[in-house]
Amino acid sequence: MAPKEQPQLRHRSEKSLLPEGSSTVDQAELVLANSKPADKLNGNEVAIDGLIYDISDFKHPGGDVVKMFGGNDVTVQYHMIHPRHSGKQVEKMKLVGRLENYKPEYVFDSEFALEMKREVYKLVSRKEEFGTWGFHFRACIYVSLLFGLTYVWVVQGSSYGLALALGISQALIGLNVQHDANHGAASKKPWVNELLGFGANLIGGDKWNWMQQHWTHHSFTNHYAMDPDSFSAEPVFSFNDYPLDHPNRRWWHCFQGFYFLFFLSMYWISAVFNPQVWNLHHSGAAFVGIKMDNEFTVKRRIWARLLKASYIYWNVVTPFQNHGLGLTPFFHVMVLGVASSITLSLLFSLSHNFVDSDRDPTKSYRETGKEVCWYKAQVETSSTYGGFIAGCLTGGLNCQIEHHLFPRMSSAWYPYIRPTVQKICEKHGVRYVYFPDIIPNLISTFKYMHAAGVGSNHEILDPLSGKN
């Protein structure tokens, strides 16, 4: 059962607030008097619920990957990954200060949130929430398929059919293997998640860049200023439904309903040849204020570069070695890239961009100052389609609502918990968008992209209210 959360850690006892080695309340007060703004946090510090912790010597049970976010306010990320939060987790870290002018936008202990967690954890216990035998069986199949096709690609030479198959197989790794692993959901053993997480590098991306961007996206889905996915395609096209006079609008967005799919097919090129891997500074995460210059990230830059060079050699260079310089190997590589891009990016884009999706879940906070239920925001900015078969092919990402509510639960469980999630949403009046299969979800995405491009919603509605 999920315990009732405490919105502020000041409910901890005065003794628990003391840094290691301290023994008096005066010392605790001295520590809490050390305040600084979020942008002044050191690379070995994180802020959670307005309090600052030094994580230099912190041994996290999920591994050192948490240090990747050193230097940031990780309140939302923390609660997202620790839905059973009771305050005991943070007491293991060294308290060193307080965050200046801390004002939370979200709450995590609303009646809706508590019932959602309570009922779902009746179905899936703490020990069971990681990858099932079925998940690992599918992962083995997809990894074997990738290595087999890559072997043929390198040794026997590329072809158009092989390029199509290899591109799709790489996308299947992205959907079914690395995604769970880099959420810490594939296994309760950190080394397994670490290993499988390198699937992102096997398909031309980078696990550390991916986590910088994707965890931020999960924390602030469709947030007007904090979701890097919302701005990732601008100014070419826009996922955001801006007001008609907004400076981010461009005249060509009127046609984005026709051309956005073409540019999504170029996703592989932007991922493979992205210079951000050189210093592991994801531009989308940096745009919304995430700092990525901590020691953990800096130490991994050389490995990111080597893995990127390896991918480019095996997948891009070898076709030219086998066929010689010319258009044929070039088009083989392009087919690989387009197949991977469409399979990956289209599935991700339809998850939060559809008719009636909440495009501004924190608007009421800005207007009234009242915190927004994070769990409600996750539901109303996402959609779910299909069932078990779709889950096997997409790594459970067809159940985006369930995934955004419980991102550290293995995707294998999402079809199982879906009916309960939908029932609780209906009970609390939270809009749950379900499509019977991918086609109506895809149609809704095209409709949304066209309406957002031409601004038709603004003629009679306020689309950023999420009440279209």
Side-chain angles (χ1 to χ4, degrees), residues 133-395:
W133 70 266
F135 166 81
H136 290 287
F137 177 73
R138 291 197 305 272
C140 288
I141 290 178
Y142 290 134
V143 171
S144 299
L145 176 64
L146 175 65
F147 281 128
L149 292 174
T150 301
Y151 176 83
V152 176
W153 178 268
V154 173
V155 175
Q156 298 183 14
S158 59
S159 66
Y160 288 110
L162 181 59
L164 179 64
L166 182 57
I168 294 175
S169 74
Q170 291 187 3
L172 291 173
I173 293 294
L175 295 168
N176 292 274
V177 181
Q178 73 87 23
H179 192 273
D180 269 50
N182 284 325
H183 272 289
S187 172
K188 62 181 178 181
K189 299 178 180 179
W191 70 266
V192 175
N193 292 318
E194 181 77 8
L195 179 63
L196 295 180
F198 282 107
N201 301 79
L202 288 177
I203 65 175
D206 177 81
K207 67 171 293 178
W208 297 295
N209 264 343
W210 186 90
M211 292 175 71
Q212 291 166 349
Q213 173 269 334
H214 195 70
W215 280 34
T216 307
H217 155 69
H218 261 270
S219 301
F220 302 98
T221 311
N222 284 6
H223 190 286
Y224 80 105
M226 289 297 295
D227 183 357
D229 282 13
S230 293
F231 313 100
S232 61
E234 296 178 10
V236 179
F237 62 88
S238 175
F239 288 120
N240 287 311
D241 192 359
Y242 292 115
L244 294 175
D245 58 350
H246 197 281
N248 285 6
R249 277 196 174 275
R250 300 291 187 271
W251 63 266
W252 55 82
H253 291 170
C254 293
F255 307 101
Q256 68 178 28
F258 300 99
Y259 69 74
F260 85 97
L261 186 60
F262 168 79
F263 283 100
L264 286 180
S265 70
M266 300 294 108
Y267 170 78
W268 178 87
I269 295 177
S270 66
V272 172
F273 300 101
N274 194 328
Q276 293 167 175
V277 74
W278 189 256
N279 59 5
L280 290 183
H281 272 220
H282 190 280
S283 61
F287 181 80
V288 299
I290 302 297
K291 294 194 292 184
M292 294 159 281
D293 53 0
N294 52 69
E295 183 180 5
F296 177 92
T297 301
V298 171
K299 285 184 176 181
R300 282 151 181 80
R301 289 174 180 172
I302 183 63
W303 297 108
R305 298 166 191 170
L306 291 173
L307 289 168
K308 178 68 72 172
S310 175
Y311 177 87
I312 292 175
Y313 175 74
W314 295 118
N315 292 272
V316 179
V317 175
T318 57
F320 290 94
Q321 290 180 328
N322 289 322
H323 295 281
L325 295 177
L327 290 178
T328 296
F330 171 79
F331 285 124
H332 288 171
V333 173
M334 288 299 99
V335 170
L336 182 159
V338 170
S340 178
S341 298
I342 292 296
T343 307
L344 274 174
S345 60
L346 186 60
L347 290 177
F348 281 123
S349 64
L350 59 80
S351 302
H352 309 290
N353 305 284
F354 53 89
V355 176
D356 290 341
S357 62
D358 189 341
R359 298 304 312 181
D360 192 7
T362 59
K363 181 179 181 180
S364 62
Y365 167 79
R366 299 196 306 275
E367 293 178 342
T368 67
K370 183 179 180 181
E371 294 93 339
V372 174
C373 173
W374 183 85
Y375 284 84
K376 179 176 182 292
Q378 295 304 305
V379 174
E380 296 190 339
T381 56
S382 308
S383 66
T384 288
Y385 66 85
F388 176 76
I389 300 300
C392 290
L393 295 174
T394 66

Side-chain angles (χ1 to χ4, degrees), residues 17-29:
L17 287 173
L18 296 175
E20 187 176 351
S22 299
S23 59
T24 68
V25 173
D26 288 340
Q27 287 175 298
E29 293 176 347

Side-chain angles (χ1 to χ4, degrees), residues 47-49 73-83 102 104-108 215-221 223 226 374-375 378 407:
I48 300 174
D49 288 321
D73 180 354
V74 295
T75 298
V76 181
Q77 291 90 331
Y78 168 81
H79 285 285
M80 174 184 75
I81 298 299
H82 300 87
Y102 174 69
E105 288 184 298
Y106 295 105
V107 294
F108 301 87
W215 280 34
T216 307
H217 155 69
H218 261 270
S219 301
F220 302 98
T221 311
H223 190 286
M226 289 297 295
W374 183 85
Y375 284 84
Q378 295 304 305

Side-chain angles (χ1 to χ4, degrees), residues 429-460:
V430 176
R431 186 177 65 250
Y432 183 101
V433 177
Y434 174 76
F435 299 95
D437 56 66
I438 192 174
I439 300 302
N441 197 166
L442 187 60
I443 292 173
S444 184
T445 295
F446 272 90
K447 288 182 177 179
Y448 168 78
M449 292 300 293
H450 173 69
V454 301
S456 60
N457 290 329
H458 291 273
E459 297 175 3
I460 55 175

Side-chain angles (χ1 to χ4, degrees), residues 121-134:
Y121 288 130
K122 288 179 181 178
L123 301 174
V124 185
S125 70
R126 179 190 295 269
K127 295 181 179 180
E128 295 177 323
E129 65 182 345
F130 299 101
T132 63
W133 70 266

